[in-house]
Amino acid sequence: MWTKQKCLEILELKPGASQEEIKKAYRKMASKYHPDRNKNSDAEEKFKDVKKSFDILSSEDSGFSNDWGFDGFEESDVFIDFLSKSGRRKALKVPFEITFEEAFRGYEAAFNIPASQRHPAFNEVKLVVPAGVRSGETFAVKSGGWEILFCVEFRPHLFWKFDGVGNIEMTVPVKNNLAVGDTVQIKLPFGTADYEINSGFYAGQTLRFRKKGWMFKNFTSKGFEFTDALINFGVEWPGSDGVFAKQEVYQNFLRGSKEI
C-alpha cells in the first residue's frame, strides 16, 4: 500500500518536508537510479518507485495543478535580476517540471502566485507551454504586478534522453533470441516505428532515424522541424525466473499505459 510515510522513506525525506525539498529529493533519487547510470538489476524498479512517490506527494495539495507555496517566501530565494525589453528589473523565478511527453505535445498549467509581496492573497496564473519546448527554456508572464519567469525542467525519463545537440537518444531492450526477420517496435516522440532485424544486426548497434526526434520551431521559416532519433539496441538475457524484466517495462511504455 502506498502511504505518505512510504513515499517519504523512498525519497529519503522526513515528515513535514516542503514541496521544494520533495522536488530536490526527487531529482537526486531519479538521477541515482536512472537505468542509464545505474546498472544494478533493481534500478528500474527503484526508479519507478521514486517517480510514483514524487507523483503522490506532489498531488497531495488540493487546488490548482501546481501550488508552489510562496507564502512566507524570502525575496532572496525566489527573485532574480531579469533583463526585459523595458530594462533590468526583479522577476519571480518559478521552477516548473514537466515530462518529455508533455513537453513534446505542449502543456497548460495553473499556478497560485502571491498577489503581492506584502499581501498573501493568491492570483491564479495560467501558463501555456508550446509544443517542442526544451529543458532550460524560460517563459515570462506578467500578473498582478509580478514579472514571473517560469523555468522549464524535464523529469528524468526511463528511455529517452537528449544528446548534446538536441537529438533524442534511446536504448531499446531486445531479447537475446532475436532472429533475422523479426520486427522491433520503437516508440519515438512522434509515434512508433518498426525496424526489421537483418543479417547485419549486432548488439550495441545504433541506428539514426532522421527527422524523427525532437520537434523545434524554426524561427526563420516560422515552421516546425525535427531533430534525429538515435536508437541503440541493448540485448537482454532472461533473469533466473525466465522473465525479461526490461522487456516488460518497455512493452508497457509502448502500450502507453502511463508516461515514464
Short mmCIF file of all heavy atoms in Angstrom, two decimals, residues 195-231:
data_model
loop_
_atom_site.label_atom_id
_atom_site.label_comp_id
_atom_site.label_asym_id
_atom_site.label_seq_id
_atom_site.Cartn_x
_atom_site.Cartn_y
_atom_site.Cartn_z
N TYR A 195 11.40 -1.67 -36.94
CA TYR A 195 12.71 -1.99 -37.51
C TYR A 195 12.83 -3.50 -37.65
O TYR A 195 12.64 -4.25 -36.68
CB TYR A 195 13.83 -1.46 -36.61
CG TYR A 195 15.21 -1.87 -37.08
CD1 TYR A 195 15.77 -1.29 -38.21
CD2 TYR A 195 15.94 -2.86 -36.40
CE1 TYR A 195 17.03 -1.67 -38.66
CE2 TYR A 195 17.20 -3.24 -36.84
CZ TYR A 195 17.74 -2.65 -37.97
OH TYR A 195 18.98 -3.03 -38.42
N GLU A 196 13.12 -3.95 -38.85
CA GLU A 196 13.25 -5.38 -39.11
C GLU A 196 14.70 -5.81 -38.93
O GLU A 196 15.62 -5.21 -39.52
CB GLU A 196 12.78 -5.71 -40.53
CG GLU A 196 12.81 -7.21 -40.83
CD GLU A 196 12.25 -7.53 -42.21
OE1 GLU A 196 11.21 -6.93 -42.58
OE2 GLU A 196 12.83 -8.38 -42.91
N ILE A 197 14.90 -6.82 -38.11
CA ILE A 197 16.25 -7.33 -37.85
C ILE A 197 16.81 -7.97 -39.11
O ILE A 197 16.18 -8.83 -39.73
CB ILE A 197 16.23 -8.38 -36.71
CG1 ILE A 197 15.67 -7.75 -35.43
CG2 ILE A 197 17.62 -8.93 -36.46
CD1 ILE A 197 16.47 -6.59 -34.90
N ASN A 198 18.01 -7.52 -39.50
CA ASN A 198 18.64 -8.08 -40.70
C ASN A 198 19.91 -8.83 -40.32
O ASN A 198 20.29 -8.89 -39.15
CB ASN A 198 18.94 -6.97 -41.72
CG ASN A 198 19.80 -5.86 -41.12
OD1 ASN A 198 20.78 -6.12 -40.43
ND2 ASN A 198 19.41 -4.60 -41.36
N SER A 199 20.56 -9.37 -41.32
CA SER A 199 21.74 -10.21 -41.06
C SER A 199 22.91 -9.40 -40.51
O SER A 199 23.84 -9.98 -39.95
CB SER A 199 22.17 -10.92 -42.36
OG SER A 199 22.44 -9.97 -43.38
N GLY A 200 22.86 -8.09 -40.66
CA GLY A 200 23.96 -7.26 -40.17
C GLY A 200 23.75 -6.75 -38.75
O GLY A 200 24.56 -5.98 -38.24
N PHE A 201 22.66 -7.21 -38.10
CA PHE A 201 22.36 -6.73 -36.75
C PHE A 201 23.39 -7.22 -35.74
O PHE A 201 23.84 -8.36 -35.81
CB PHE A 201 20.97 -7.22 -36.33
CG PHE A 201 20.62 -6.88 -34.91
CD1 PHE A 201 20.13 -5.63 -34.59
CD2 PHE A 201 20.80 -7.81 -33.89
CE1 PHE A 201 19.80 -5.31 -33.28
CE2 PHE A 201 20.47 -7.51 -32.58
CZ PHE A 201 19.98 -6.25 -32.28
N TYR A 202 23.76 -6.36 -34.79
CA TYR A 202 24.67 -6.78 -33.73
C TYR A 202 24.34 -6.00 -32.46
O TYR A 202 23.75 -4.91 -32.49
CB TYR A 202 26.14 -6.53 -34.12
CG TYR A 202 26.47 -5.09 -34.47
CD1 TYR A 202 26.91 -4.21 -33.49
CD2 TYR A 202 26.33 -4.63 -35.77
CE1 TYR A 202 27.22 -2.90 -33.80
CE2 TYR A 202 26.63 -3.32 -36.10
CZ TYR A 202 27.08 -2.46 -35.11
OH TYR A 202 27.37 -1.15 -35.42
N ALA A 203 24.71 -6.59 -31.33
CA ALA A 203 24.43 -5.97 -30.03
C ALA A 203 25.15 -4.62 -29.93
O ALA A 203 26.32 -4.51 -30.29
CB ALA A 203 24.89 -6.88 -28.91
N GLY A 204 24.46 -3.63 -29.45
CA GLY A 204 25.04 -2.30 -29.32
C GLY A 204 24.92 -1.46 -30.57
O GLY A 204 25.38 -0.31 -30.59
N GLN A 205 24.32 -1.99 -31.60
CA GLN A 205 24.15 -1.26 -32.85
C GLN A 205 23.31 0.00 -32.62
O GLN A 205 22.34 0.00 -31.88
CB GLN A 205 23.48 -2.13 -33.90
CG GLN A 205 23.28 -1.46 -35.26
CD GLN A 205 22.62 -2.40 -36.26
OE1 GLN A 205 22.08 -3.44 -35.87
NE2 GLN A 205 22.65 -2.06 -37.52
N THR A 206 23.70 1.10 -33.25
CA THR A 206 22.95 2.36 -33.15
C THR A 206 22.43 2.76 -34.52
O THR A 206 23.18 2.79 -35.49
CB THR A 206 23.84 3.49 -32.59
OG1 THR A 206 24.28 3.14 -31.26
CG2 THR A 206 23.05 4.79 -32.51
N LEU A 207 21.16 3.04 -34.59
CA LEU A 207 20.53 3.49 -35.83
C LEU A 207 20.16 4.96 -35.71
O LEU A 207 19.82 5.44 -34.63
CB LEU A 207 19.27 2.69 -36.13
CG LEU A 207 19.41 1.18 -36.29
CD1 LEU A 207 18.04 0.56 -36.51
CD2 LEU A 207 20.33 0.84 -37.46
N ARG A 208 20.20 5.67 -36.80
CA ARG A 208 19.79 7.08 -36.83
C ARG A 208 18.50 7.20 -37.65
O ARG A 208 18.47 6.91 -38.83
CB ARG A 208 20.87 7.96 -37.44
CG ARG A 208 20.49 9.45 -37.50
CD ARG A 208 21.58 10.27 -38.16
NE ARG A 208 22.77 10.36 -37.34
CZ ARG A 208 23.00 11.33 -36.45
NH1 ARG A 208 22.11 12.30 -36.28
NH2 ARG A 208 24.11 11.33 -35.75
N PHE A 209 17.44 7.59 -36.97
CA PHE A 209 16.18 7.87 -37.65
C PHE A 209 16.12 9.38 -37.88
O PHE A 209 15.89 10.15 -36.95
CB PHE A 209 14.99 7.42 -36.80
CG PHE A 209 14.82 5.94 -36.72
CD1 PHE A 209 15.66 5.15 -35.94
CD2 PHE A 209 13.80 5.31 -37.43
CE1 PHE A 209 15.50 3.78 -35.88
CE2 PHE A 209 13.64 3.93 -37.37
CZ PHE A 209 14.49 3.17 -36.60
N ARG A 210 16.34 9.77 -39.13
CA ARG A 210 16.42 11.19 -39.43
C ARG A 210 15.05 11.86 -39.35
O ARG A 210 14.05 11.33 -39.81
CB ARG A 210 17.03 11.40 -40.82
CG ARG A 210 18.48 10.90 -40.89
CD ARG A 210 19.21 11.40 -42.12
NE ARG A 210 20.60 10.92 -42.13
CZ ARG A 210 21.59 11.49 -41.47
NH1 ARG A 210 21.35 12.58 -40.75
NH2 ARG A 210 22.81 10.99 -41.52
N LYS A 211 15.06 13.04 -38.71
CA LYS A 211 13.85 13.87 -38.56
C LYS A 211 12.75 13.15 -37.78
O LYS A 211 11.57 13.43 -37.95
CB LYS A 211 13.31 14.28 -39.93
CG LYS A 211 14.33 14.94 -40.84
CD LYS A 211 14.88 16.23 -40.27
CE LYS A 211 15.87 16.90 -41.21
NZ LYS A 211 16.45 18.13 -40.63
N LYS A 212 13.13 12.24 -36.88
CA LYS A 212 12.15 11.52 -36.06
C LYS A 212 12.39 11.77 -34.56
O LYS A 212 11.88 11.03 -33.73
CB LYS A 212 12.22 10.02 -36.34
CG LYS A 212 11.95 9.63 -37.78
CD LYS A 212 10.54 9.97 -38.21
CE LYS A 212 10.28 9.47 -39.63
NZ LYS A 212 8.92 9.83 -40.09
N GLY A 213 13.15 12.80 -34.24
CA GLY A 213 13.47 13.07 -32.84
C GLY A 213 12.60 14.15 -32.24
O GLY A 213 11.37 14.06 -32.26
N TRP A 214 13.24 15.21 -31.75
CA TRP A 214 12.52 16.27 -31.04
C TRP A 214 12.05 17.35 -32.00
O TRP A 214 12.72 17.67 -32.97
CB TRP A 214 13.43 16.89 -29.99
CG TRP A 214 12.67 17.66 -28.93
CD1 TRP A 214 12.66 19.00 -28.73
CD2 TRP A 214 11.84 17.09 -27.93
NE1 TRP A 214 11.85 19.30 -27.66
CE2 TRP A 214 11.34 18.15 -27.15
CE3 TRP A 214 11.46 15.78 -27.60
CZ2 TRP A 214 10.48 17.94 -26.07
CZ3 TRP A 214 10.61 15.58 -26.54
CH2 TRP A 214 10.13 16.65 -25.80
N MET A 215 10.88 17.90 -31.71
CA MET A 215 10.33 18.97 -32.53
C MET A 215 10.81 20.32 -32.02
O MET A 215 10.88 20.55 -30.82
CB MET A 215 8.80 18.90 -32.48
CG MET A 215 8.08 20.01 -33.23
SD MET A 215 6.29 19.71 -33.26
CE MET A 215 5.93 19.66 -31.51
N PHE A 216 11.18 21.21 -32.93
CA PHE A 216 11.55 22.55 -32.51
C PHE A 216 11.08 23.56 -33.55
O PHE A 216 10.84 23.22 -34.71
CB PHE A 216 13.06 22.68 -32.32
CG PHE A 216 13.87 22.59 -33.59
CD1 PHE A 216 14.29 23.72 -34.26
CD2 PHE A 216 14.21 21.34 -34.13
CE1 PHE A 216 15.03 23.62 -35.43
CE2 PHE A 216 14.95 21.24 -35.30
CZ PHE A 216 15.35 22.39 -35.95
N LYS A 217 10.92 24.79 -33.12
CA LYS A 217 10.42 25.83 -34.01
C LYS A 217 11.57 26.48 -34.74
O LYS A 217 12.56 26.89 -34.15
CB LYS A 217 9.66 26.88 -33.21
CG LYS A 217 9.06 27.96 -34.08
CD LYS A 217 7.67 28.33 -33.62
CE LYS A 217 7.04 29.25 -34.64
NZ LYS A 217 5.66 29.53 -34.40
N ASN A 218 11.44 26.55 -36.05
CA ASN A 218 12.42 27.24 -36.88
C ASN A 218 11.93 28.67 -37.08
O ASN A 218 10.94 28.92 -37.77
CB ASN A 218 12.56 26.54 -38.24
CG ASN A 218 13.68 27.13 -39.08
OD1 ASN A 218 13.84 28.34 -39.17
ND2 ASN A 218 14.44 26.26 -39.73
N PHE A 219 12.60 29.62 -36.44
CA PHE A 219 12.12 30.99 -36.48
C PHE A 219 12.38 31.67 -37.82
O PHE A 219 11.83 32.72 -38.12
CB PHE A 219 12.77 31.80 -35.35
CG PHE A 219 12.29 31.38 -34.00
CD1 PHE A 219 13.04 30.51 -33.22
CD2 PHE A 219 11.08 31.84 -33.50
CE1 PHE A 219 12.59 30.11 -31.96
CE2 PHE A 219 10.62 31.44 -32.25
CZ PHE A 219 11.38 30.58 -31.49
N THR A 220 13.22 31.05 -38.65
CA THR A 220 13.46 31.60 -39.98
C THR A 220 12.30 31.28 -40.91
O THR A 220 11.75 32.15 -41.58
CB THR A 220 14.77 31.04 -40.56
OG1 THR A 220 15.85 31.36 -39.69
CG2 THR A 220 15.02 31.63 -41.95
N SER A 221 11.92 29.99 -40.93
CA SER A 221 10.81 29.57 -41.80
C SER A 221 9.46 29.69 -41.10
O SER A 221 8.42 29.54 -41.72
CB SER A 221 11.01 28.12 -42.23
OG SER A 221 10.97 27.26 -41.10
N LYS A 222 9.49 29.93 -39.77
CA LYS A 222 8.27 30.04 -38.95
C LYS A 222 7.48 28.74 -38.94
O LYS A 222 6.27 28.74 -38.72
CB LYS A 222 7.39 31.20 -39.43
CG LYS A 222 8.06 32.56 -39.28
CD LYS A 222 7.13 33.69 -39.69
CE LYS A 222 7.82 35.03 -39.49
NZ LYS A 222 6.95 36.17 -39.87
N GLY A 223 8.18 27.65 -39.18
CA GLY A 223 7.54 26.34 -39.13
C GLY A 223 8.26 25.45 -38.13
O GLY A 223 9.15 25.90 -37.41
N PHE A 224 7.85 24.18 -38.07
CA PHE A 224 8.48 23.24 -37.15
C PHE A 224 9.40 22.29 -37.91
O PHE A 224 9.12 21.89 -39.03
CB PHE A 224 7.41 22.43 -36.40
CG PHE A 224 6.70 23.21 -35.33
CD1 PHE A 224 5.48 23.80 -35.58
CD2 PHE A 224 7.27 23.35 -34.07
CE1 PHE A 224 4.83 24.53 -34.60
CE2 PHE A 224 6.63 24.07 -33.08
CZ PHE A 224 5.40 24.66 -33.34
N GLU A 225 10.51 21.94 -37.26
CA GLU A 225 11.42 20.94 -37.80
C GLU A 225 11.68 19.90 -36.72
O GLU A 225 11.32 20.08 -35.56
CB GLU A 225 12.73 21.60 -38.25
CG GLU A 225 12.55 22.56 -39.43
CD GLU A 225 13.89 23.07 -39.95
OE1 GLU A 225 14.93 22.55 -39.47
OE2 GLU A 225 13.88 23.96 -40.81
N PHE A 226 12.34 18.80 -37.14
CA PHE A 226 12.61 17.72 -36.20
C PHE A 226 14.10 17.40 -36.18
O PHE A 226 14.76 17.43 -37.22
CB PHE A 226 11.83 16.45 -36.58
CG PHE A 226 10.36 16.54 -36.34
CD1 PHE A 226 9.52 17.14 -37.27
CD2 PHE A 226 9.81 16.03 -35.18
CE1 PHE A 226 8.16 17.23 -37.05
CE2 PHE A 226 8.45 16.12 -34.95
CZ PHE A 226 7.62 16.71 -35.88
N THR A 227 14.60 17.09 -34.99
CA THR A 227 15.96 16.57 -34.89
C THR A 227 15.92 15.07 -35.18
O THR A 227 14.88 14.52 -35.53
CB THR A 227 16.53 16.82 -33.49
OG1 THR A 227 15.72 16.13 -32.52
CG2 THR A 227 16.54 18.30 -33.16
N ASP A 228 17.06 14.40 -35.05
CA ASP A 228 17.12 12.96 -35.32
C ASP A 228 16.89 12.15 -34.04
O ASP A 228 17.00 12.67 -32.93
CB ASP A 228 18.49 12.58 -35.91
CG ASP A 228 18.74 13.25 -37.24
OD1 ASP A 228 17.76 13.69 -37.88
OD2 ASP A 228 19.91 13.33 -37.65
N ALA A 229 16.57 10.89 -34.22
CA ALA A 229 16.46 9.95 -33.10
C ALA A 229 17.58 8.92 -33.25
O ALA A 229 17.72 8.29 -34.31
CB ALA A 229 15.10 9.26 -33.10
N LEU A 230 18.39 8.75 -32.22
CA LEU A 230 19.50 7.80 -32.23
C LEU A 230 19.11 6.61 -31.36
O LEU A 230 18.97 6.73 -30.14
CB LEU A 230 20.76 8.47 -31.69
CG LEU A 230 21.16 9.79 -32.37
CD1 LEU A 230 22.38 10.39 -31.70
CD2 LEU A 230 21.38 9.58 -33.85
N ILE A 231 18.94 5.46 -32.00
CA ILE A 231 18.42 4.28 -31.32
C ILE A 231 19.51 3.24 -31.15
O ILE A 231 20.12 2.79 -32.12
CB ILE A 231 17.23 3.66 -32.11
CG1 ILE A 231 16.19 4.74 -32.42
CG2 ILE A 231 16.62 2.52 -31.32
CD1 ILE A 231 15.63 5.43 -31.19
#
